[in-house]
Amino acid sequence: MRIDTDATIHHPRSVAFRAVRDNLVEVGEHLPNITAIEVIERNEPEPGVVEFVNVWHGEGSIPAVARPFLKPSMLAWTDHARWDESDWSCEWRMETAFMTDRVSCSGRNTYVVIDDDRTRLHITGDLGIDLADLPGVPS
């Protein structure tokens, strides 16, 4: 499945970009269905580039058909992100806490100037889920 969405942030690009990059734990406190974000690793391999490994913890209602397969503890994922100020982007890849070999998700966020006080956050990516031949899952 292709991911392609936009959001308008009512702050200048540098403020929006650095706020999300440097304060993601606090930003996560305001996101629906996110219970916590843990920073596992933070590196600055070169000027203007910051790499993170974060673990996100979610919550939500699991549909009845999925309850035999999904438990609330499985609603977590590891996020590998590379933030680059040279082009105001973040390349990311996620690993789920379960069925890691069957779920793939990666993409790119770009921060684009609309005007002096507004930024467009453009998120693109791909999500793949392979349930073929999974025991107990109806075809």
Side-chain angles (χ1 to χ4, degrees):
M1 175 175 76
R2 185 74 182 146
I3 301 165
D4 192 344
T5 190
D6 291 313
T8 299
I9 302 171
H10 294 273
H11 293 285
R13 175 171 63 185
S14 62
V15 171
F17 181 87
R18 292 179 185 132
V20 176
R21 181 191 68 192
D22 299 334
N23 301 297
L24 186 60
V25 171
E26 292 83 3
V27 170
E29 294 171 1
H30 303 283
L31 297 175
N33 299 320
I34 301 298
T35 59
I37 300 172
E38 298 174 73
V39 178
I40 304 301
E41 190 174 316
R42 182 184 198 276
N43 296 307
E44 295 185 38
E46 58 191 83
V49 174
V50 182
E51 297 174 339
F52 286 95
V53 176
N54 300 310
V55 176
W56 294 60
H57 299 274
E59 68 179 1
S61 178
I62 298 172
V65 70
R67 287 185 195 138
F69 315 105
L70 297 176
K71 303 298 178 212
S73 63
M74 296 173 158
L75 299 179
W77 57 95
T78 302
D79 167 32
H80 301 265
R82 180 179 171 88
W83 294 78
D84 189 343
E85 281 194 30
S86 71
D87 64 358
W88 303 100
S89 71
C90 176
E91 297 276 342
W92 50 268
R93 173 179 59 84
M94 294 184 203
E95 297 172 358
T96 55
F98 69 101
M99 295 195 324
T100 304
D101 59 331
R102 293 182 177 270
V103 178
S104 63
C105 189
S106 62
R108 178 180 172 92
N109 299 355
T110 54
Y111 292 74
V112 180
V113 171
I114 297 173
D115 57 36
D116 289 345
D117 296 317
R118 293 181 304 152
T119 302
R120 179 172 62 97
L121 170 57
H122 184 68
I123 302 170
T124 59
D126 291 293
L127 170 63
I129 303 173
D130 179 11
L131 299 179
D133 303 322
L134 186 64
V137 175
S139 58

